[in-house]
């Protein structure tokens, strides 16, 4: 669905209305969506679609993923604590054991990725040698 500029602008204003202390206030969001569905203003489906995209992006920014090659003693709690000090509280925390990393750790916050794994370093070396 192509979203018009006006619908994007309206969705952005509504999204800002739903923010409270830097995160989405779910009660305001539910109320807003209910009102949009009840009143059905012009281009409301486009506004809802763009609002959905903005919320999904905000949730992704607040999702922290820690992957390690072996199990960390504290299930990544120390890493999550440091991430929350830097980026604020997380909506979702995921800890995964990925043996394919060979060694090291990989951290993802939203679309930002910090990869300190041996597998990543080997890929970089391979890329340099293949040039």
């Amino acid at each position: 669905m192509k979203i018009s500029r006006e619908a994007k602008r309206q969705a952005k204003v509504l999204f800002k209305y739903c923010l409270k202390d830097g995160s989405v206030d779910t009660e305001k969001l539910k109320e807003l969506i209910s009102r949009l569905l009840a009143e059905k203003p012009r281009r409301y489906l486009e506004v809802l679609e763009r609002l959905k995209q903005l919320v999904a992006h905000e949730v992704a920014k607040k999702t922290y993923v820690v992957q390690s090659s072996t199990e960390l003693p504290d299930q990544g709690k120390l890493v999550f604590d440091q991430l929350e000090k830097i980026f604020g509280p997380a909506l979702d925390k995921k800890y995964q054991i990925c043996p394919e990393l060979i060694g090291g750790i990989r951290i993802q916050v939203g679309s930002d990725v910090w990869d300190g794994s041996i597998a990543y370093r080997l890929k970089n070396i391979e890329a340099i040698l293949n040039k």
Side-chain angles (χ1 to χ4, degrees):
M1 169 189 295
K2 183 159 171 66
I3 302 172
S4 67
R5 284 185 184 167
E6 182 61 29
K8 287 180 181 179
R9 202 173 302 122
Q10 288 174 354
K12 187 176 179 181
V13 169
L14 295 174
F15 179 72
K16 286 183 179 181
Y17 167 76
C18 292
L19 290 178
K20 182 178 180 183
D21 299 328
S23 61
V24 178
D25 183 353
T26 55
E27 292 305 315
K28 280 186 180 180
L29 185 63
K30 287 178 187 177
E31 174 189 328
L32 183 97
I33 291 171
S34 296
R35 287 185 66 194
L36 278 173
L37 291 173
E39 295 174 9
K40 296 182 182 177
R42 187 169 182 236
R43 294 193 170 124
Y44 79 100
L45 290 176
E46 292 177 23
V47 172
L48 284 173
E49 181 63 30
R50 181 61 182 156
L51 192 59
K52 180 179 115 179
Q53 293 170 355
L54 291 170
V55 170
H57 180 70
E58 186 67 24
V59 168
K61 281 186 353 186
K62 296 292 184 176
T63 299
Y64 303 164
V65 180
V66 174
Q67 298 174 327
S68 64
S69 58
T70 59
E71 189 168 343
L72 297 175
D74 59 355
Q75 297 286 322
K77 184 178 179 339
L78 183 64
V79 177
F80 286 125
D81 290 345
Q82 291 299 317
L83 290 172
E84 287 186 337
K85 282 182 186 176
I86 296 168
F87 298 105
L91 292 176
D92 191 18
K93 299 176 192 176
K94 297 178 183 175
Y95 174 72
Q96 302 167 344
I97 298 172
C98 300
E100 63 269 9
L101 294 178
I102 303 171
I105 191 169
R106 183 176 187 269
I107 299 170
Q108 181 175 350
V109 176
S111 61
D112 296 328
V113 177
W114 296 275
D115 197 338
S117 68
I118 293 174
Y120 177 74
R121 291 178 188 180
L122 289 172
K123 284 181 189 175
N124 283 342
I125 292 171
E126 182 181 23
I128 291 169
L129 294 176
N130 288 333
K131 282 187 178 181

